[in-house]
Each structure stands twice: as structure tokens, then as C-alpha cells.
């Protein structure tokens, strides 16, 4: 790449300004320095450098992160309109603007005496016209020729007059004529790459690539392709910067392009339409062979390669209008990123509490603007790749990247909303900036010794060994249950060790692990690795394939959350209990379809069911109905509000040969069913295993076991024949049976008899046997 010349007969030196989005001044300055210039950050959003007409061409063609290249004609104090007029008229406008030129004037003013921008524009226009009249000897300018966009910018009473050499912003590379939802500016994408430690020989993935801006910009950087090669610039029509200079600059730029990348860059997205645009744009940019685009959700992100970089701009709700979905994506990041153990991660997001959401702090962070949206660029540096023979080179490259990322000293600074000179986005009011980039010693680069997200500590490994010992002991104790007692679904572990708050149930050749949420000192990603280790440990102890182990996180129950679908894997199988068959789903719901703590209660119902008319309230998957039918019940009525569970209950009955008109399935709210059933004494035996709480949309009022149990049982007793039995159960620990308010019932608690021996928690449920004594 080329630098300005300073030979004795060289063209006159020009003052040039590269403008930038707020927060990228140091990145632009570093680009200029690499191009051979001596940049100086003079204001937020403005970097000054010197050059010639040739450098106007070179800067426009090569700058990746700047918004525009301006030619500064003058800067002077202007605290009144007279000074503004006189000093503007004194500038040599005729050396640039020909007689036929169009020369519109725009303006801005910040913290200046001359605060009326329209008035400033008129004064500047008038002064330039007067100057050109004298220079060309004419009284009228048709302004039909090349366009020379002039800007008057006032900051603290200092006026700066510039000509825009770029025309359309430099982010318009020419390869993206089509746009998708929430596009990312090319200049910002290029800055994100330059602020990372990515190099062309390392893998790079953008898992939210959209129309492909980040991967395409990375490919252009990796192949040293000048970003402005496919577009035109305003100064191309200026006689002083003639076609020959532009063609020569383009030819030099083309000669510097490198061959294809050693490692293809990957972009993934869930939206195939966006990916089609990405492929089209990559072809237009000339880097299609360097990129691979694939339709894939973020949850499917994975790679076998080492020491790569994730650079992404995930949806954050501001543009997409889907804040809940965006928040879910951010929350999933620790679990997804922990799969890439040696990688570095770079995330641009407007989510203000991003580090809280993901549960850990970034290595570095930088305030940036995506259009007018205030964002932060979070950087998580992974372990450095160890390479033979190039340690010093790698140190220099990493130090250069971190130098650019940290030299402005703006980390975590609050941003204000005032507009500022030269910035194409709304930056804060002026702040003090260093005159040039300052190098950062290599010791300041905080690469972690191991992975960024996740990892296993010594404490975790110790806990896994404790878990193994305890689980082995329990498995040995219960090993004869399947053959001796015919019990193949039972509890193996129930938070026996407080530091390992898991519940492990065996369902024949599968394990179902429920994790109870408790505070811990692990990050979410570390906790994911902790949970995976416990899963592998349990599989090894019980000698089942790890793919037959299903893990669920059990939060505090909210409404109908317990019964909501959590997945769509359809991992179902037929489990045996008490000589009966039950469909069990281990993958898609928090619970499996068979509550094994009621194994004994179901047996009691079977013994009591012979010749009885049976009612199953809050029936769930109908296991009590199956037991009642197998015990010789004359009829069964299974009531639940969910079609999903009623269908499941009907399948369970059919599995055991119980079909026909004697077995009815009713979709209804329990209270509504009892109110609408007019036949007194219609049933001899009933089971009420009610949820603690429910606010299903199908309910007219919410259900609360403590509040509603009296009304429900008093209504139910009306439908029970004299001498009939009700089994009433709840797992609400603080439940108090209002026995004095219940009528026509003889009540006895039988919880000690119904909780199975494999349950360490003897209060897993409470159960009462109630006999109708009317």
C-alpha cells in the first residue's frame, strides 16, 4: 500500500480528514498509519492526515473503517458572522471548484456562538460565491457540473470548512445493492474484525451472518482487497484529481490483492432468505470462494477446528422488534460458546446488561454505534495458539490488535447523546483524546490459560468423584429391584450431597436427571460443563449410553410451566410398572409422564377398584386410570384440561387393552366438571392428584391447591356413593388440609405408606384416604 510523498517537486501537501463513527477513531488512525500516513485524532469522529491528490484516491480506496475522506480548506475562529464571511471568502476556493461546479453547503454547530446552522450555511455559500465571482469574472453560477459538497462545522467557535471527496459514505462498497433486516454497516463490520485477534490462517464464524457483511469484510481484509475498488467517488469528477490518478491508484490496489484464503470463513444464519443475499453479495465482492454460508440455528453452532474467532452482531431487539427472542439468544450464548474451548469471541450488542445475562465479564469492552443504536463490543480473548518458530510474530500481531482495541482509553465510559463534528453517528460532546496511538506491552494482553466459556475446575472434578461414589452405592443397593420386585423405574439419587443438587431417576435403560436451581460460584458456561460431567459420571456408573441420559432444569414452578413442552425430540419408550405398560417421554417435558413417587398409591387404587366406578381428576397421562381398570373397575372417567395429556392417557389405556365406552376421556377444568355433573353418587372411587398452582389460559380463574381444595372436595363428595373412597394427594410442602371445613368424609393421612422406599425425601408428596360417610 502507498504513502504520501515529500520530494522537493512533489505536489502541494493537503490537509485531509478521515471521519468515523464515534468509538472508531483509533481504528481509523491505525489504518492510516499502516497506509504510511501520520494521523492525528483532532476531534471525536475526525482523524487528520496530510497527503496529495494521489492520496485522496488512495485513502478513499483503502480505508475500511472511515466514513468519508474530507479535504480541509481552512480552519479558523468564528464567533460572529462577519468573521465567518471574511475568513471563508479568503480561502482559495477557485483552486478546487471550477466555474460550472455544483457546490451545496451543509453545516453543523456544537457549543458555538453561531448556533443557527441555516444562517451559517447561507453566509458560507455567499462568501464562496463572492470569491468565485471575482476569480471567474461572472455574476451567475448555473451549478450544472461536478458536485463539490462543502461543510461548515463549528465546534467551540472554531470553524472548519471541508470538501467531501467521497460522495456516498465509504460503507457503500458497491457489493451490497440489496439489504436485509437490521443490516450492519460495512465500516463497522470491518472495525469489529480489526479489533479482534483474527488472522487469515485462523477459523472465523459469524453465527448471525444475515446478508453476510462480517464474513465478506473479513475476506476482503484477509485477501488485502481494497474495499473501494467497486465504487466511484465524488472527487473522480474533479479536474484537479483527474481520471489518470484514479486509474493508477486502482491498478496499484488490484496488484496488491492476495490469492484465496488458507481457511474458508463461515457464516451461518437461521434465515435462508438472508443467506441467499449473503451468497449474492459475496459473489459481487469477488470473495465467494473464500466463504461458506450455511443455514443453521445458533443452538447448532459447533466446530472441530481450534483457536478460531466468533465475530457476531446478534439480534438485540432494537431493530428486529423481537426483544424476547433476542434475549433468549443472548442467554444461550454461554452454553453454545463453551463448545468452542480454544476460541475467542467478539459480540456487538445493544443489550445493556449483557455481561449479567451471560454470567461473566468480558476481557475488554468498547462503546460503539450501530447506526444510531448505542452498542458495546464485548471481547473475550481465548488461549493463544502455540506455534513453533513464530512466537515473536504472534506476539507482535496480538499486541497490535490489543493496541487498537485499548489506546483511546474509553472502556466503560458513559456516552452522551450530543452530536459532534465529523461523526456520522450521534457521539457525545468532545472529550480529550491522545494525539496518536500508544503501544500496549504484550503483558497487557490478557489471554486466559484455558477456554473462555466453561471449563472444569479441581473442585468440580472432586464433586464428580463424590457423586460417583454415592451413586455407585445407591445403584448397588437397588440393583435387585428389577428382577426381585419387578420395579424398573425408581429413584437413584435425590440431592444426597447438598453441593450436587440433582435428582436421578432410572427408567429401565435410561436416566432422567433433574437439576434443582441453586446459587453456585460457577458461571453459566462452567455450570454447563459441570452438568455435562455429572451426566457422564451417572451414565458410567449405571452403565447406560450417555445418549440415554436426559437432563432437565427444574425451576420454581410457575403456573402451567411444569407441563409446557420443552423440546421436540420425541424420545419416548414403553416402561413397565406393576405388570402394566406406560408411554414415557424423557426428552420433551419437565416431567416424564409417569410420577414414580405414586407407585404405591397406584397399587392401592388397583386393590380398591374391583367393581367400582372410577373418577380420575387432574388425570395427567392417566396412570391411575390404567391401574383402576386393571384392578377390575366397572368404568373409568379420566378428566384433564389438556388435550395433549388426554390423548396420552388414552394411549396408555389402549396399551393395556382398555378401550371402549366404559372408559371415557373428558377435557374439562376440574371445578367446571364437578359443577356440571348432575348425578349424585355416580362414582365409588376417585383420585385427586392436583397441581399446586395453575393459571392456564383455559381457566376462568387460577387454581391454587390451598385456596381451592375445600370447594373441590366438597363438590366431589356429592358425586361419591356412600362408602366410596377418595385418594387426595399434593406435593405442596406447606399445604394444610382444612379438615374441619370438609363435610361427609372420614379422613386419614397415609403419606407414610405411599412414599416409596427409594425416595430419600419422605415429603415428596402427602396423601389422604377419604371415605364418604354420608
Amino acid at each position: 500500500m502507498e504513502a504520501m510523498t515529500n520530494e522537493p517537486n512533489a505536489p502541494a501537501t493537503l490537509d485531509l480528514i478521515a471521519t468515523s463513527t464515534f468509538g472508531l477513531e483509533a481504528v481509523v488512525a491505525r489504518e492510516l498509519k499502516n497506509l504510511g500516513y501520520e494521523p492525528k485524532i483532532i476531534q471525536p469522529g475526525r482523524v487528520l492526515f496530510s497527503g496529495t491528490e494521489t492520496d485522496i484516491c488512495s485513502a478513499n480506496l483503502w480505508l475500511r473503517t472511515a466514513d468519508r475522506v474530507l479535504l480541509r480548506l481552512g480552519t479558523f475562529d468564528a464567533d460572529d458572522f462577519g468573521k465567518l464571511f471574511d475568513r471563508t471568502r479568503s480561502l482559495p476556493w477557485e483552486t478546487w471548484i471550477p466555474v460550472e461546479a455544483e457546490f451545496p453547503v451543509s453545516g453543523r454547530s456544537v457549543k458555538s456562538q453561531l448556533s443557527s446552522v441555516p444562517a451559517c450555511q447561507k453566509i458560507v455559500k455567499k462568501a464562496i460565491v463572492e470569491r468565485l465571482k471575482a476569480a471567474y469574472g461572472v455574476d451567475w453560477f448555473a451549478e450544472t457540473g461536478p458536485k463539490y459538497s462543502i461543510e461548515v462545522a463549528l465546534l467551540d467557535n472554531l470553524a472548519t470548512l471541508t470538501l467531501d471527496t467521497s460522495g456516498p459514505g465509504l460503507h457503500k462498497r458497491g457489493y451490497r445493492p440489496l439489504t436485509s433486516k437490521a443490516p450492519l454497516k460495512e465500516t463497522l463490520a470491518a472495525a469489529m474484525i480489526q479489533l479482534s485477534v483474527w488472522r487469515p490462517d485462523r477459523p472465523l464464524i459469524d453465527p448471525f451472518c444475515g446478508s453476510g457483511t462480517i464474513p465478506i469484510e473479513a475476506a476482503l481484509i484477509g485477501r488485502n482487497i481494497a474495499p473501494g475498488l467497486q465504487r466511484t467517488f465524488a472527487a473522480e469528477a474533479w479536474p484537479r484529481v483527474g481520471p489518470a490518478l484514479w486509474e493508477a491508484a486502482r491498478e496499484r490496489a488490484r496488484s496488491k490483492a492476495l490469492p484465496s484464503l488458507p481457511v474458508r470463513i463461515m457464516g451461518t444464519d437461521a434465515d435462508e432468505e438472508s443467506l441467499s443475499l449473503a451468497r449474492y453479495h459475496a459473489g459481487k465482492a469477488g470473495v465467494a470462494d473464500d466463504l461458506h454460508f450455511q443455514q443453521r440455528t445458533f443452538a447448532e453452532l459447533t466446530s472441530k477446528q481450534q483457536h478460531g474467532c466468533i465475530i457476531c452482531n446478534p439480534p438485540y431487539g432494537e431493530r428486529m422488534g423481537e426483544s424476547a427472542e433476542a434475549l433468549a439468544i443472548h442467554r444461550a450464548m454461554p452454553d453454545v460458546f463453551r463448545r468452542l474451548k480454544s476460541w475467542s469471541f467478539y459480540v456487538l450488542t445493544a443489550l445493556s446488561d449483557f455481561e449479567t445475562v451471560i454470567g461473566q465479564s468480558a476481557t475488554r469492552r468498547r462503546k460503539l454505534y450501530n447506526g444510531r443504536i448505542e452498542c458495546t463490543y464485548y471481547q473475550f480473548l481465548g488461549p493463544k495458539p502455540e506455534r513453533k518458530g513464530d512466537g515473536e510474530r504472534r506476539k507482535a500481531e496480538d499486541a497490535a490488535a490489543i493496541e487498537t482495541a485499548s489506546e483511546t482509553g474509553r472502556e466503560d465510559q458513559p456516552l452522551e447523546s450530543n452530536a459532534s463534528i465529523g461523526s456520522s453517528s450521534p457521539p457525545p460532546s468532545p472529550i480529550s483524546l491522545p494525539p496518536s496511538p500508544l503501544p500496549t506491552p504484550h503483558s497487557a494482553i490478557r489471554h486466559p490459560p484455558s477456554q473462555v466459556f466453561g471449563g472444569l475446575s479441581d473442585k468440580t472434578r472432586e464433586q464428580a468423584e463424590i457423586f460417583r461414589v454415592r451413586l455407585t452405592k445407591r445403584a448397588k443397593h437397588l440393583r435387585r429391584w428389577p428382577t426381585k420386585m419387578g420395579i424398573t423405574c425408581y429413584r437413584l439419587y435425590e440431592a444426597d450431597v447438598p453441593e450436587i443438587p440433582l435428582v436421578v431417576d432410572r427408567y429401565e435403560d435410561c436416566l432422567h436427571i433433574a437439576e434443582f436451581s441453586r446459587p453456585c460460584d460457577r458461571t453459566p458456561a462452567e455450570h454447563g460443563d459441570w452438568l455435562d460431567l455429572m451426566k457422564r459420571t451417572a451414565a458410567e456408573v449405571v452403565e447406560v449410553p450417555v445418549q440415554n441420559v436426559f437432563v432437565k432444569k427444574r425451576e420454581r414452578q410457575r403456573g402451567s410451566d411444569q407441563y409446557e413442552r420443552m423440546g421436540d425430540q420425541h424420545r419416548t419408550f414403553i416402561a413397565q410398572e406393576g405388570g402394566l405398560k406406560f408411554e414415557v417421554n424423557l426428552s420433551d417435558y419437565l416431567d416424564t409422564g409417569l410420577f414414580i413417587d405414586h407407585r404405591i398409591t397406584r397399587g392401592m387404587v388397583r386393590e380398591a377398584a374391583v367393581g367400582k366406578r372410577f373418577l380420575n381428576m387432574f388425570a395427567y397421562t392417566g396412570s391411575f386410570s390404567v391401574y383402576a381398570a386393571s384392578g377390575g373397575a366397572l368404568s373409568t372417567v379420566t378428566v384433564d384440561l389438556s388435550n395433549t395429556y388426554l390423548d396420552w392417557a388414552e394411549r396408555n389405556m389402549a396399551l393395556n387393552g382398555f378401550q371402549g365406552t366404559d372408559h371415557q376421556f373428558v377435557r374439562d377444568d376440574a371445578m367446571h366438571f364437578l359443577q356440571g355433573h348432575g348425578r349424585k353418587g355416580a362414582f365409588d372411587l376417585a383420585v385427586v392428584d392436583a397441581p399446586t398452582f395453575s393459571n392456564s389460559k383455559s381457566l376462568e380463574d387460577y387454581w391454587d391447591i390451598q385456596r381451592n381444595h375445600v370447594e373441590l372436595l366438597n363438590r366431589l363428595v356429592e358425586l361419591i356413593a356412600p362408602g366410596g373412597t377418595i385418594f387426595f394427594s399434593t406435593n405442596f410442602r406447606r399445604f394444610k388440609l382444612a379438615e374441619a371445613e370438609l363435610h361427609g368424609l372420614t379422613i386419614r393421612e397415609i403419606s407414610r405408606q405411599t412414599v416409596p422406599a427409594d425416595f430419600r425425601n419422605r415429603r415428596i408428596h402427602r396423601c389422604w384416604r377419604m371415605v364418604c360417610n354420608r
Side-chain angles (χ1 to χ4, degrees), residues 76 106 122 349 445 485 519 550 613 684 728:
F76 49 83
S106 63
K122 289 178 182 179
T349 180
I445 304 175
M485 304 176 64
F550 301 86
R613 297 163 297 170
D684 308 299
F728 175 73

Side-chain angles (χ1 to χ4, degrees), residues 16-302:
L16 302 173
I17 294 174
T19 69
S20 76
T21 298
F22 175 76
L24 295 183
E25 297 89 349
V27 183
V28 173
R30 181 169 183 80
E31 279 198 87
L32 287 166
K33 187 175 181 181
N34 288 339
L35 287 169
Y37 304 105
E38 296 181 4
K40 180 180 180 180
I41 300 173
I42 55 173
Q43 293 172 1
R46 291 197 166 199
V47 184
L48 178 68
F49 65 106
S50 298
T52 65
E53 287 84 347
T54 296
D55 298 304
I56 290 176
C57 305
S58 298
N60 273 296
L61 285 170
W62 279 105
L63 286 175
R64 301 180 189 278
T65 60
D67 289 335
R68 297 177 185 280
V69 177
L70 306 179
L71 170 64
R72 187 174 75 175
L73 267 72
T75 183
F76 49 83
D77 291 327
D79 55 5
D80 62 50
F81 287 120
K83 289 180 181 178
L84 180 62
F85 181 87
D86 292 340
R87 296 300 300 273
T88 300
R89 187 175 57 179
S90 68
L91 297 174
W93 295 99
E94 68 278 5
T95 63
W96 286 97
I97 302 177
V99 66
E100 74 279 4
E102 177 189 1
F103 51 101
V105 178
S106 63
R108 58 179 69 192
S109 178
V110 176
K111 295 184 178 180
S112 296
Q113 196 75 16
L114 303 179
S115 58
S116 172
V117 173
C120 292
Q121 291 173 235
K122 289 178 182 179
I123 291 294
V124 168
K125 180 80 172 187
K126 183 177 180 180
I128 296 171
V129 168
E130 292 300 318
R131 174 80 185 200
L132 295 180
K133 279 182 179 182
Y136 293 120
V138 298
D139 293 327
W140 175 256
F141 296 96
E143 297 196 45
T144 58
K147 189 173 184 179
Y148 289 73
S149 296
I150 300 165
E151 182 187 62
V152 52
L154 290 110
L155 173 63
D156 291 325
N157 295 321
L158 184 70
T160 301
L161 291 164
T162 58
L163 288 172
D164 179 8
T165 72
S166 301
L170 294 182
H171 71 280
K172 295 186 176 181
R173 316 288 206 212
Y175 65 74
R176 196 173 69 169
L178 306 174
T179 59
S180 62
K181 295 181 291 184
L184 181 71
K185 271 191 175 183
E186 290 83 347
T187 47
L188 182 55
M192 291 168 64
I193 295 155
Q194 293 187 31
L195 287 167
S196 76
V197 295
W198 177 76
R199 299 293 176 266
D201 59 349
R202 295 177 69 170
L204 188 156
I205 300 176
D206 176 5
F208 308 99
C209 70
S211 58
T213 308
I214 291 176
I216 291 170
E217 288 296 318
L220 293 175
I221 291 171
R223 291 187 55 193
N224 199 37
I225 297 174
L229 276 174
Q230 296 193 36
R231 58 161 288 173
T232 59
F233 303 92
E236 289 191 61
W238 299 359
R240 186 163 167 177
V241 192
L245 289 179
W246 285 98
E247 185 52 41
R250 284 193 169 92
E251 192 57 39
R252 287 191 296 273
R254 291 189 191 100
S255 70
K256 296 178 184 297
L258 301 174
S260 58
L261 296 175
V263 180
R264 291 178 81 190
I265 295 167
M266 176 172 281
T268 65
D269 202 281
D271 182 28
E272 181 56 41
E273 183 178 341
S274 294
L275 291 172
S276 296
L277 289 177
R279 296 183 186 102
Y280 174 73
H281 295 154
K284 292 278 289 182
V287 293
D289 292 340
D290 300 293
L291 306 176
H292 175 65
F293 293 105
Q294 184 176 11
Q295 186 175 18
R296 182 186 293 177
T297 65
F298 178 57
E300 297 172 308
L301 175 65
T302 186

Side-chain angles (χ1 to χ4, degrees), residues 390-665:
D390 65 351
E392 292 304 315
R393 179 180 66 83
R394 301 299 303 180
K395 284 182 181 180
E397 289 180 345
D398 283 350
I402 303 304
E403 172 189 326
T404 303
S406 61
E407 59 204 5
T408 61
R410 292 197 192 145
E411 285 195 350
D412 295 323
Q413 275 198 348
L415 299 183
E416 302 173 16
S417 60
N418 300 30
S420 186
I421 304 301
S423 175
S424 62
S425 295
S429 52
I431 59 176
S432 176
L433 296 173
S436 61
L438 301 174
T440 300
H442 188 261
S443 60
I445 304 175
R446 294 177 293 163
H447 286 272
S450 58
Q451 67 193 83
V452 177
F453 286 91
L456 299 173
S457 65
D458 291 340
K459 181 180 179 181
T460 292
R461 298 181 193 281
E462 291 172 5
Q463 289 175 345
E465 190 56 34
I466 294 170
F467 183 51
R468 179 189 301 277
V469 170
R470 179 60 182 168
L471 205 57
T472 300
K473 182 178 180 181
R474 288 282 295 165
K476 183 178 180 181
H477 176 70
L478 299 171
R479 70 186 185 281
R480 298 188 184 277
W481 275 35
T483 54
K484 188 176 180 180
M485 304 176 64
I487 299 174
T488 59
C489 303
Y490 51 89
R491 180 144 297 181
L492 273 171
Y493 176 90
E494 193 170 7
D496 301 24
V497 181
E499 291 182 348
I500 309 170
L502 304 175
V503 170
V504 182
D505 293 328
R506 180 159 193 165
Y507 286 83
E508 301 193 357
D509 292 328
C510 298
L511 291 182
H512 182 268
I513 300 179
E515 179 203 2
F516 285 81
S517 181
R518 291 183 185 174
C520 65
D521 57 0
R522 297 180 290 272
T523 67
E526 289 169 342
H527 186 72
D529 283 345
W530 178 90
L531 200 55
D532 282 349
L533 178 59
M534 300 305 161
K535 176 180 176 179
R536 293 194 301 271
T537 300
E540 291 168 6
V541 168
V542 185
E543 297 180 339
V544 301
V546 72
Q547 60 266 29
N548 284 5
V549 182
F550 301 86
V551 179
K552 313 279 179 61
K553 186 164 186 173
R554 188 178 287 274
E555 305 279 1
R556 183 177 179 180
Q557 183 182 340
R558 294 176 177 87
S560 58
D561 288 355
Q562 178 180 356
Y563 305 104
E564 293 295 324
R565 180 179 285 271
M566 301 173 62
D568 201 27
Q569 300 179 45
H570 303 295
R571 289 295 300 274
T572 62
F573 74 98
I574 305 305
Q576 307 277 339
E577 183 188 271
L580 301 170
K581 301 174 183 178
F582 297 93
E583 179 184 309
V584 173
N585 186 321
L586 298 179
S587 59
D588 300 338
Y589 300 89
L590 184 59
D591 290 307
T592 64
L594 185 66
F595 292 127
I596 58 176
D597 63 302
H598 270 307
R599 183 192 313 125
I600 295 173
T601 316
R602 285 190 285 269
M604 291 180 175
V605 168
R606 174 158 57 184
E607 292 175 1
V610 60
K612 302 292 177 32
R613 297 163 297 170
F614 176 71
L615 174 63
N616 189 0
M617 305 290 292
F618 303 98
Y620 189 39
T621 60
S623 58
F624 278 109
S625 298
V626 174
Y627 266 83
S630 71
L634 293 176
S635 63
T636 63
V637 176
T638 303
V639 181
D640 200 277
L641 193 56
S642 166
N643 280 326
T644 298
Y645 291 120
L646 273 182
D647 291 343
W648 196 336
E650 195 165 359
R651 292 196 300 272
N652 278 336
M653 290 287 280
L655 272 174
N656 294 279
F658 305 123
Q659 294 174 293
T661 58
D662 290 336
H663 304 291
Q664 299 178 32
F665 302 88

